[in-house]
Amino acid sequence: MRIATINCGSSSLKADVLDSVTGARFVRLRAERVGTDDATIRWNDAPAVPLPAKGIEHILGDLFTELFERGGSVQAVGHRVVHGGERFVRPTLIDDAVAEAIESLIPLAPLHNPANHAGIVAARAALPSVPHVAVFDTAFHGTLPTRAKHYAIAPDLLPNARRFGFHGTSHGYVARVAATALGAPLESLRLITCHLGSGASVCAVEYGRSVETSMGMTPLEGLVMGTRSGDLDPGLVLELVRQGRDVDAVDTLLNRKSGLAGVSGTSGDMRDIEAKAAKGDERCRLALKLFAHRLRKYIGAYAATMGGVDAIVFTAGIGQNSPGLRHRVAQRLDFLGAHLDEDRNRDAKVDAAAPVFDISGTNARVKLLVVATDEARAIAEHAAAVAQEADAVQAPKTIPIAVSARHIHLTQDAVEALFGPGHTLTPRNELSQPGQFACEETLTVIGPKRSLERVRVLGPTRPKNQIEVSRTDEFWLGVDAPVRRSGDVANSPGVTLEGPAGSLTLSEGLICAARHIHMTPADAEAFGVKNGDLVEVRVDSNGRDLTFGDVLIRVSPKYALEMHVDTDEANAAELSRRDEGLLIPTEGTARLTRLERR
Ligand code: ADP
């Protein structure tokens, strides 16, 4: 889908039009120092040009109109919203009520939400015909457990005080990218993601869910940042007040004049600090030490919080570009099983085309990864998923469902062993998937407890033997077989097959087939899904309505549109022949949407 993403700050605007699946950029807009005499704007790679010194709310309408014109047929707009409060824990389709609710959250994020809200109002006015989706920085941390959410103060002292966490869109995105690079489902991994930009935070992502993060009720808590102090003794704040500073002065001190900037006496830009530290500047050296020490402390704590860690991810401006900082942080992580390959660390480069670089030493138990974050792409993915879901509600898409009885796929060698040398399968009737047929041949499947007789063989022959049965069949046979996608028979249980010319004991091949939908690439495009996605399918049946989750999408030009379930599944939903199901699409980000629904 072609998505516009909008990140509207109080004095800056970042907007992109991109493809939510490939990440390809069509338009890029950057406006900076808006409202001042130095305001500039850049379209794509053109040089920055001056912008009239009007407040941001006065220029948004024109800018968005131009953005949508340049962007072509934008199908949905994703808005970054910093604070979602208690209410918004997932990306949300914006209607008038949602826009009002976002406005009502301004007291929680007085610096950010007003501009986010102004962006929503102006963009909805400029392009009212497409869905607008709010993507919240806090949402990914909606899964924080109670013990991580609360401060140790009396509950009635500040009833709304709790830890929210920020940078969630980035933490969630790099966690997904890292899992893909590690070749493991996110739901099986414990990750520590370190988003180190001018604002910085770290997140413990346990099996896909944020369970701890360093920013709290506000973005001031946690790591040492460009200009923010991060953690400090609340007694220190009291002392600043006792010395006569008012609340705004303390706010400015801790949010704008502390952190790397305050310690080093620079603007807080890591490049300057590293350059000066290399020349011997003691304050810059101290700033680097504090930054690295604080982060290492959090990494150790989060490994303990999750009871272990599989990978540590460095991302954002500093995380992606500073080998020196990564080196400092990783120095004492050997005890966790993480150690750095110094050469790879120095050479690490990531970008949109190659977003992951492994900097771990050989045989490291815990991977150290540099991952390019891409918040616009993450927002586009979320916006596309929500827009398509909304679309699906309006325009239901039905899929014919076929019930697969138990059956057997054989190799040519097995055919000959069971039916005699030189035997070839005899087609009996064609099946709905082109080229597939049921055969005259049947076999007896012999399990440890009992046997199943006259089990139909399907043709043509395949590279591997595979016997697909239902759970009920497994109980009957006395074998516990895994739910697998077709063709994935490694380490599944074996059984004995008995045919007219002999029997064959297989070491593997018995599976309970994962429910799936066959479709062509054109179908996949129409449904907004891709090969390997997991979707949900709703079946309205007489008195036994059921929504099937974990339905695997299988795309090939050779397929015909059809969902396959086994006899147990069909009975559970009271399916009759020729029933249809309703696809509830979750886009190419099926797993992501499912996770965030938990
Ligand atoms: P944000 O989006 O929060 O403003 P970024 O993710 O752009 O932040 O990160 C900005 C930080 O990244 C700055 O401290 C900057 O100095 C640092 N940075 C960028 N490039 C490098 C580099 N090559 N080496 C060290 N630090 C870098």
Side-chain angles (χ1 to χ4, degrees):
M1 270 177 108
R2 188 174 280 234
I3 307 287
T5 62
I6 292 174
N7 178 353
C8 190
S10 55
S11 64
S12 70
L13 171 67
K14 293 182 194 165
D16 297 83
V17 177
L18 66 160
D19 185 295
S20 61
V21 177
T22 64
R25 294 294 204 273
F26 305 114
V27 183
R28 195 179 134 92
L29 161 63
R30 297 288 179 271
E32 279 167 16
R33 295 180 293 277
V34 180
T36 71
D37 291 341
D38 302 329
T40 59
I41 182 167
R42 272 183 81 175
W43 285 99
N44 302 324
D45 294 328
V49 293
L51 195 63
K54 290 188 200 160
I56 198 155
E57 64 281 11
H58 301 297
I59 60 164
L60 288 175
D62 290 345
L63 286 182
F64 289 155
T65 303
E66 187 171 352
L67 175 77
F68 299 138
E69 269 171 25
R70 288 180 183 238
S73 45
V74 167
Q75 292 165 277
V77 184
H79 294 264
R80 177 190 185 214
V81 180
V82 167
H83 216 307
E86 293 278 356
R87 172 165 168 189
F88 296 110
V89 292
R90 61 181 59 93
T92 304
L93 191 67
I94 303 173
D95 56 17
D96 291 345
V98 168
E100 270 172 39
I102 291 171
E103 191 175 18
S104 74
L105 291 170
I106 285 177
L108 282 174
L111 289 181
H112 299 102
N113 271 36
N116 302 157
H117 178 257
I120 289 171
V121 172
R124 287 182 80 208
L127 192 59
S129 57
V130 305
H132 288 246
V133 177
V135 180
F136 301 91
D137 261 20
T138 48
F140 183 61
H141 307 298
T143 50
L144 286 183
T146 309
R147 59 184 179 275
K149 232 163 40 179
H150 285 269
Y151 289 105
I153 55 173
D156 52 357
L157 187 60
L158 273 175
N160 296 324
R162 51 153 282 196
R163 306 187 65 252
F164 288 102
F166 298 87
H167 290 147
T169 310
S170 176
H171 287 297
Y173 179 77
V174 296
R176 291 193 296 278
V177 173
T180 306
L182 293 169
L186 186 56
E187 297 89 333
S188 70
L189 293 171
R190 289 169 295 186
L191 304 174
I192 298 175
T193 52
C194 310
H195 177 105
L196 312 176
S198 39
S201 69
V202 50
C203 182
V205 186
E206 186 177 29
Y207 310 133
R209 298 152 63 92
S210 166
V211 294
E212 248 300 4
T213 190
S214 57
M215 285 179 169
M217 183 173 89
T218 74
L220 185 53
E221 189 179 343
L223 299 180
V224 176
M225 302 176 225
T227 61
R228 295 187 198 122
S229 63
D231 295 335
L232 37 76
D233 179 352
L236 190 151
V237 183
L238 301 180
E239 186 56 27
L240 291 172
V241 174
R242 269 196 207 103
Q243 289 180 358
R245 291 176 182 86
D246 67 13
V247 65
D248 289 336
V250 176
D251 187 328
T252 306
L253 259 184
L254 299 181
N255 271 304
R256 299 188 189 277
K257 302 202 163 175
S258 297
L260 293 171
V263 177
S264 67
T266 70
S267 69
D269 189 297
M270 181 57 89
R271 282 166 291 205
D272 299 343
I273 294 170
E274 287 187 328
K276 287 191 174 162
K279 289 191 186 134
D281 184 304
E282 284 304 328
R283 282 180 66 176
C284 287
R285 286 187 170 177
L286 177 62
L288 292 179
K289 282 182 192 163
L290 290 184
F291 189 101
H293 171 75
R294 180 85 52 88
L295 177 55
R296 192 184 315 118
K297 196 162 91 170
Y298 267 98
I299 290 172
Y302 286 2
T305 299
M306 295 189 287
V309 56
D310 299 302
I312 300 167
V313 175
F314 294 94
T315 191
I318 299 172
Q320 289 171 216
N321 298 304
S322 174
L325 196 278
R326 293 192 300 257
H327 165 83
R328 280 175 189 270
V329 174
Q331 260 175 0
R332 293 188 174 182
L333 297 183
D334 286 18
F335 79 100
L336 276 180
H339 55 92
L340 196 65
D341 180 314
E342 297 293 351
D343 292 333
R344 293 187 64 74
N345 180 42
R346 201 188 47 236
D347 295 342
K349 265 215 166 5
V350 288
D351 55 26
V356 182
F357 202 102
D358 185 344
I359 54 171
S360 353
T362 327
N363 300 330
R365 264 188 298 114
V366 175
K367 292 282 181 199
L368 295 169
L369 302 176
V370 181
V371 176
T373 192
D374 188 341
E375 290 183 81
R377 184 166 181 181
I379 290 171
E381 288 178 358
H382 286 299
V386 172
Q388 288 190 335
E389 208 161 327
D391 196 35
V393 173
Q394 286 158 16
K397 294 160 178 164
T398 57
I399 298 188
I401 302 180
V403 183
S404 305
R406 63 182 82 106
H407 60 268
I408 300 171
H409 300 281
L410 294 175
T411 63
Q412 182 55 33
D413 284 351
V415 170
E416 297 193 29
L418 294 160
F419 297 101
H423 186 89
T424 52
L425 293 174
T426 319
R428 179 176 190 246
N429 57 281
E430 284 187 3
L431 298 175
S432 56
Q433 295 307 311
Q436 306 290 306
F437 52 89
C439 304
E440 294 292 352
E441 288 83 355
T442 61
L443 292 167
T444 301
V445 178
I446 303 169
K449 264 201 201 157
R450 303 184 196 87
S451 303
L452 290 165
E453 288 178 3
R454 300 189 58 74
V455 182
R456 182 82 42 203
V457 176
L458 303 189
T461 53
R462 290 192 174 186
K464 286 181 189 165
N465 295 307
Q466 178 171 308
I467 302 99
E468 295 180 38
V469 295
S470 70
R471 279 272 179 262
T472 307
D473 291 339
E474 288 175 24
F475 288 124
W476 178 261
L477 291 168
V479 190
D480 191 8
V483 175
R484 290 274 180 84
R485 57 185 68 188
S486 183
D488 179 13
V489 292
N491 299 322
S492 60
V495 276
T496 298
L497 299 177
E498 195 174 72
S503 69
L504 188 62
T505 298
L506 304 175
S507 59
E508 60 185 23
L510 186 80
I511 63 167
C512 185
R515 46 187 170 246
H516 55 273
I517 303 172
H518 292 276
M519 58 173 73
T520 63
D523 292 328
E525 180 153 3
F527 284 106
V529 294
K530 60 182 189 317
N531 193 41
D533 277 0
L534 295 173
V535 297
E536 293 179 351
V537 173
R538 194 172 76 224
V539 177
D540 291 332
S541 69
N542 201 0
R544 296 191 106 181
D545 290 359
L546 193 65
T547 297
F548 289 105
D550 292 333
V551 184
L552 179 69
I553 298 288
R554 300 182 56 192
V555 181
S556 161
K558 294 188 213 145
Y559 291 155
L561 181 65
E562 195 168 63
M563 172 164 166
H564 287 181
V565 295
D566 69 19
T567 43
D568 281 356
E569 292 168 321
N571 291 340
E574 205 76 28
L575 288 176
S576 54
R577 281 169 166 266
R578 304 198 185 290
D579 260 326
E580 293 193 325
L582 264 184
L583 183 76
I584 306 172
T586 38
E587 214 231 354
T589 48
R591 181 174 294 141
L592 164 163
T593 311
R594 286 191 316 120
L595 261 179
E596 294 184 354
R597 279 209 194 116
R598 278 191 209 164

